[in-house]
Amino acid sequence: MIAHLQGKLVEKNPTEVVIDCNGVGYNINISLHTYSLIPDSENIKLFTYLQIKEDAHVLFGFAEKSEREIFKLLLSVSGIGAGIARTMLSSLEPKQIIKSIASGDVATIQSIKGIGSKTAQRAILDLKDKVLKVYDLDEVSISQDNTNKDEALSALEVLGFNRKLAEKTVERIVKENPNASIENIIKLALKTL
């Protein structure tokens, strides 16, 4: 229904952005991968996926069409909802997800919070052929962005983690890696929480 939004970036944090399109502010849920690719410029464009449920209409935004397509593929797997799909795209780069599915790497997919061995195996079984047909493994780009511990904690809370547990984990990560970007802090935290 809404294929993309282009407008003025009003607010940006690791889990969502607000884009003003001609006076209407759209709240869009994003992954860490998209967060790292969004420029700090005033005007941006995000490809979107609108999820309609009985109690909510939720917009998900992606810096790249390929990430949106992976998100839609993940949603087609029984046991993977929008929250888990977003966590997958925040924990692993889209390219890593594609490679893991294509190579049948259950351990990598299972390492993501909320995914057990059966769901990981089902994702590989359901998506392996589609991924091999559709994706060129070089088309997903990687980028770094710098921010702080508080934003990482906020993002982990939005993703559903206990604040006190997340604080301890993030403190340890920042102590070990003082120059870690927000994406790296959150990715490391997602692996240990």
Side-chain angles (χ1 to χ4, degrees):
M1 186 174 157
I2 300 174
H4 75 268
L5 287 174
Q6 186 167 351
K8 183 179 176 186
L9 179 64
V10 177
E11 191 177 313
K12 174 185 171 187
N13 68 53
T15 55
E16 62 185 25
V17 293
V18 175
I19 298 178
D20 182 325
C21 299
N22 297 322
V24 179
Y26 291 92
N27 187 323
I28 305 167
N29 291 290
I30 59 170
S31 69
L32 282 175
H33 179 72
T34 291
Y35 176 79
S36 70
L37 295 177
I38 293 175
D40 286 327
S41 62
E42 201 168 280
N43 288 306
I44 66 166
K45 176 180 179 178
L46 289 181
F47 299 99
T48 59
Y49 175 81
L50 177 62
Q51 182 183 50
I52 299 175
K53 298 195 276 187
E54 285 181 23
D55 59 344
H57 290 206
V58 184
L59 262 177
F60 292 91
F62 309 95
E64 305 164 319
K65 277 187 180 179
S66 59
E67 186 184 6
R68 178 179 63 183
E69 295 312 309
I70 295 165
F71 182 80
K72 286 160 68 171
L73 280 176
L74 291 171
L75 289 181
S76 72
V77 177
S78 175
I80 297 181
I84 291 176
R86 182 169 72 158
T87 301
M88 285 180 80
L89 289 164
S90 294
S91 302
L92 300 171
E93 312 254 332
K95 192 174 183 177
Q96 290 174 293
I97 293 172
I98 291 168
K99 283 184 177 175
S100 298
I101 290 171
S103 65
D105 185 355
V106 175
T108 300
I109 294 172
Q110 194 180 336
S111 70
I112 297 160
K113 181 190 185 301
I115 296 193
S117 65
K118 285 185 180 178
T119 305
Q121 289 168 353
R122 192 178 310 118
I124 289 168
L125 187 66
D126 291 358
L127 301 179
K128 189 172 187 174
D129 291 340
K130 292 177 188 173
V131 161
L132 289 171
K133 279 183 202 168
V134 175
Y135 291 100
D136 171 13
L137 297 182
D138 293 330
E139 82 181 40
V140 181
S141 65
I142 300 165
S143 159
Q144 292 293 324
D145 205 18
N146 215 3
T147 185
N148 61 31
K149 181 175 75 176
D150 293 331
E151 286 195 26
L153 275 173
S154 169
L156 289 167
E157 266 189 297
V158 170
L159 291 171
F161 292 97
N162 175 299
R163 176 137 183 117
K164 286 188 178 183
L165 187 64
E167 271 180 13
K168 288 179 185 175
T169 306
V170 169
E171 287 286 345
R172 184 178 45 75
I173 291 166
V174 171
K175 193 181 271 185
E176 292 170 7
N177 308 300
N179 297 327
S181 70
I182 188 164
E183 292 84 13
N184 290 334
I185 293 170
I186 295 172
K187 284 177 186 177
L188 290 168
L190 286 170
K191 287 179 182 173
T192 58
L193 285 171

